[in-house]
Amino acid sequence: MHKPDFKEARTMDKRQYITKKFSLNKKYQNYFQGKTYFLKTYGCQMNEHDSENIEAILKALGFQKEDDYEKADLILLNTCSIRENAHNKAFGMLGRCKHLKEKRPDLMVGLCGCMAQEETVVASILENFSWLNFVVGTHNFNEIPALLVKSLEEGLQVEVYSREKDLVEGMPTERQNPFKAYVNIIYGCDKFCTYCIVPYTRGRQRSRKKEDILEEIQKLLEDGYKEITLLGQNVNAYGKDLYENYSFGELLEDVAQLNVPRIRFVTSHPWDFTDHMIEVIATHQNIMPSIHLPVQSGSNRILKLMGRRYTKESYLELVQKLKAKIPHLALSTDIIVGFPTETEEDFQETMDIVEQCQYDNAFTFIYSIRHGTPAEKIKEQVPLEIKEERLQRLNEKVNFYFLKNNQALVGKTLKVLTEGKSLKQQDAYFGYTETNKLVNFTGENIQLGDFVDVEITEAKTWSLDGQRK
Ligand code: SAH
Ligand code: SF4
Ligand code: F3S
């Protein structure tokens, strides 16, 4: 048994890692033929993409997908630790699994993802949910087949490594979208923002080799994918751990030259955004003018306590530069309210930066204490009622700008990648603009996966309506 240990995860020992090829031991192939699985994913795109790998592994084991968890032979939770409510959801689901297990002792249940990396979670599972089959961490979900099979004989298997293991290439992938694909470029995060648990659950920063990334994208293009999203907790840090003279800007350029119709990337940290990257984004038509640039707070005092390493002024300067260089840029962000010691004045600075940036989209959160992070130790926590009230005021403001920005698009013709048929209206479709805005539109002779020119007829806060031109 390997249990997680945050102390070990925190130490930034610069270990050399090697790249390994994934292979499924022949003895596990179709081992579970005729059985079904239900996989529930919580959290960010990183987890969604891990789930695409996990589903492919389960299929290779012979499992088939089941949408109703009450009918599945295996229930697997790919969990998220980012805020307390993510925890609560996963534990709620484990509670439901417990009832099912009482009725169906053959039910197999596993937990993987970020929560598996937390000492307190694993301790609670050993105490309260010891009937689980396995708990496996983010660094070794490729070991699920062996652990699941072993658990059938020996009961609960806990295999969680606190430090990242070697990079595994060549994982099979069961992609959820036939037109849009996620491609990991960098794993982990070295930023250690004081509120955030990700560096502990995902390990230190490790870039994939550029050849491996470009080869994966080339294959996706051959398979007809139209949009590639380069993934990382901090994509701008790409290459720093691997190359002297090859960074995210160079990678973006190389990906653009493969003639990918649409390239996106998440998430960019304001700290690592270089002029070269801006230049590359501005000069390539196939790099989408849509940037997610989490600001977290507008108060310099709070930004410092958060360990974000930029100021309100330097963030605004970067935004000005981006808006000046990249025509029609859509800017989105993440904001936390109620970080320990946040005053009304600090919060007003956040409201002010929202007014100045006029974001196209924003994910707003109430600060949630994460066990083991430095911010946990700051004594002056903001009371929940104040946090909730600030969140409400913030949401009103961000929503105002979402609608305002969308209204400015009425009458314009935008290129939309058609993704599906509208559930509400016959002959209607939905898709996304270059700036990643959802459009519901009507038109004839449209195939899913087509790029179509759509004239925008109506603006809503979170979507647009339109008609094919
Ligand atoms: N790597 C990305 C974001 C990772 S997590 C970045 O640095 O920008 C996504 C978002 O969750 C963060 O941007 C932050 O706004 C929010 N978040 C992270 N930890 C949180 C916490 N303890 N409480 C509330 N929100 C948090
Ligand atoms: Fe968390 Fe900060 Fe890393 Fe983002 S950059 S994942 S907020 S530590
Ligand atoms: Fe959650 Fe882990 Fe992503 S904590 S946000 S699933 S990296």
Side-chain angles (χ1 to χ4, degrees):
M1 181 189 294
H2 277 100
K3 288 200 269 177
D5 175 351
F6 269 10
K7 265 203 204 93
E8 197 185 332
R10 198 179 294 125
T11 52
M12 305 256 288
D13 150 50
K14 191 132 195 140
R15 191 174 69 96
Q16 284 294 311
Y17 56 87
I18 52 165
T19 303
K20 282 189 187 157
K21 270 268 177 233
F22 175 81
S23 74
L24 180 68
N25 192 322
K26 273 217 164 62
K27 68 180 178 202
Y28 299 132
Q29 263 167 20
N30 295 322
Y31 193 98
F32 293 92
Q33 192 74 45
K35 300 271 185 210
T36 58
Y37 74 90
F38 172 89
L39 174 62
K40 174 79 188 160
T41 309
Y42 305 86
C44 62
Q45 290 102 328
M46 240 75 44
N47 252 21
E48 283 173 29
H49 187 43
D50 286 351
S51 282
E52 294 184 328
N53 294 137
I54 293 167
E55 288 208 40
I57 295 174
L58 295 178
K59 292 221 160 137
L61 295 180
F63 281 105
Q64 285 197 342
K65 192 180 178 123
E66 166 59 60
D67 291 331
D68 180 356
Y69 78 95
E70 296 198 10
K71 294 192 185 136
D73 299 302
L74 165 69
I75 298 177
L76 183 49
L77 309 184
N78 191 11
T79 58
C80 168
S81 310
I82 202 84
R83 283 169 292 273
E84 196 55 37
N85 55 4
H87 269 220
N88 295 345
K89 280 186 205 156
F91 273 116
M93 186 65 187
L94 277 183
R96 290 195 284 282
C97 292
K98 190 174 187 171
H99 286 300
L100 272 180
K101 179 89 180 170
E102 281 159 12
K103 284 190 259 171
R104 288 171 33 207
D106 286 349
L107 174 69
M108 298 174 274
V109 181
L111 184 139
C112 60
C114 287
M115 277 171 67
Q117 296 294 140
E118 291 184 70
E119 296 152 317
T120 48
V121 170
V122 170
S124 159
I125 286 173
L126 287 170
E127 202 179 314
N128 306 310
F129 301 93
S130 56
W131 46 270
L132 248 72
N133 290 72
F134 63 86
V135 176
V136 51
T138 54
H139 305 308
N140 56 322
F141 62 76
N142 54 313
E143 292 174 19
I144 287 176
L147 294 170
L148 181 57
V149 170
K150 200 167 168 207
S151 74
L152 298 178
E153 294 289 323
E154 298 175 18
L156 176 61
Q157 301 294 308
V158 176
E159 264 321 276
V160 181
Y161 302 105
S162 300
R163 289 233 184 94
E164 58 286 344
K165 302 231 308 172
D166 300 319
L167 272 192
V168 183
E169 284 294 339
M171 283 268 201
T173 312
E174 181 82 14
R175 296 194 183 268
Q176 300 300 306
N177 186 307
F179 314 114
K180 308 204 287 194
Y182 291 131
V183 172
N184 277 322
I185 63 168
I186 182 166
Y187 299 98
C189 181
D190 281 1
K191 292 282 187 276
F192 286 91
C193 301
T194 58
Y195 51 82
C196 183
I197 202 159
V198 171
Y200 307 93
T201 63
R202 291 275 165 175
R204 58 172 303 127
Q205 210 163 274
R206 286 147 296 144
S207 301
R208 281 178 76 194
K209 290 197 186 91
K210 61 178 176 175
E211 297 79 15
D212 292 330
I213 296 169
L214 295 172
E215 193 187 307
E216 182 178 349
I217 295 175
Q218 186 63 51
K219 282 204 191 107
L220 288 166
L221 286 176
E222 285 158 18
D223 290 342
Y225 284 89
K226 307 278 170 71
E227 183 176 308
I228 302 291
T229 300
L230 307 176
L231 275 189
Q233 285 299 348
N234 177 9
V235 289
N236 312 47
Y238 175 79
K240 286 187 177 179
D241 54 307
L242 202 57
Y243 302 114
E244 298 247 312
N245 292 313
Y246 191 89
S247 65
F248 184 57
E250 281 80 19
L251 179 70
L252 261 183
E253 244 174 338
D254 281 347
V255 175
Q257 274 155 14
L258 293 177
N259 291 325
V260 179
R262 281 184 170 188
I263 302 162
R264 300 187 191 279
F265 50 91
V266 276
T267 297
S268 316
H269 194 297
W271 175 17
D272 287 318
F273 223 120
T274 64
D275 287 349
H276 176 241
M277 289 171 199
I278 301 175
E279 211 53 55
V280 172
I281 298 165
T283 47
H284 291 86
Q285 291 294 314
N286 55 349
I287 303 179
M288 295 298 100
S290 156
I291 294 178
H292 188 61
L293 197 66
V295 65
Q296 314 299 0
S297 169
S299 152
N300 284 337
R301 193 181 67 81
I302 296 291
L303 286 171
K304 197 154 186 218
L305 283 177
M306 288 176 160
R308 291 290 288 182
R309 305 189 212 192
Y310 52 83
T311 59
K312 183 183 185 188
E313 293 72 27
S314 66
Y315 181 92
L316 284 170
E317 203 180 303
L318 174 61
V319 168
Q320 289 315 326
K321 229 189 293 183
L322 288 166
K323 287 192 172 176
K325 295 260 174 169
I326 306 167
H328 315 296
L329 175 73
L331 192 67
S332 57
T333 201
D334 293 344
I335 301 171
I336 298 176
V337 297
F339 185 83
T341 78
E342 186 189 73
T343 61
E344 178 61 25
E345 263 178 359
D346 294 316
F347 176 66
Q348 284 306 329
E349 294 283 351
T350 299
M351 295 286 264
D352 179 61
I353 207 163
V354 167
E355 271 168 32
Q356 295 202 48
C357 294
Q358 309 207 353
Y359 294 106
D360 290 89
N361 202 359
F363 300 91
T364 56
F365 309 106
I366 282 182
Y367 169 73
S368 171
I369 301 183
R370 300 293 68 208
H371 175 67
T373 61
E376 183 194 16
K377 302 199 175 60
I378 308 178
K379 292 220 169 54
E380 247 178 278
Q381 296 289 331
V382 178
L384 184 63
E385 313 82 78
I386 295 185
K387 289 196 231 182
E388 282 174 345
E389 190 267 336
R390 284 183 191 159
L391 182 71
Q392 198 183 339
R393 276 189 283 158
L394 177 63
N395 282 345
E396 275 166 27
K397 193 171 287 294
V398 293
N399 291 349
F400 171 83
Y401 288 110
F402 301 165
L403 184 61
K404 184 174 171 226
N405 288 329
N406 281 351
Q407 279 166 341
L409 298 173
V410 173
K412 298 229 155 64
T413 299
L414 305 177
K415 200 177 271 312
V416 174
L417 170 57
T418 315
E419 275 191 44
K421 285 214 143 195
S422 164
L423 295 176
K424 289 185 207 140
Q425 200 187 331
Q426 238 196 341
D427 299 329
Y429 298 84
F430 73 89
Y432 288 84
T433 64
E434 297 197 323
T435 50
N436 221 7
K437 289 178 191 261
L438 173 64
V439 187
N440 293 295
F441 60 100
T442 51
E444 278 161 24
N445 300 325
I446 297 171
Q447 305 290 320
L448 302 191
D450 280 355
F451 286 103
V452 290
D453 288 328
V454 175
E455 186 178 338
I456 303 305
T457 52
E458 203 186 323
K460 299 176 178 163
T461 305
W462 287 286
S463 68
L464 300 163
D465 287 345
Q467 243 165 16
R468 183 184 195 161
K469 263 290 229 195

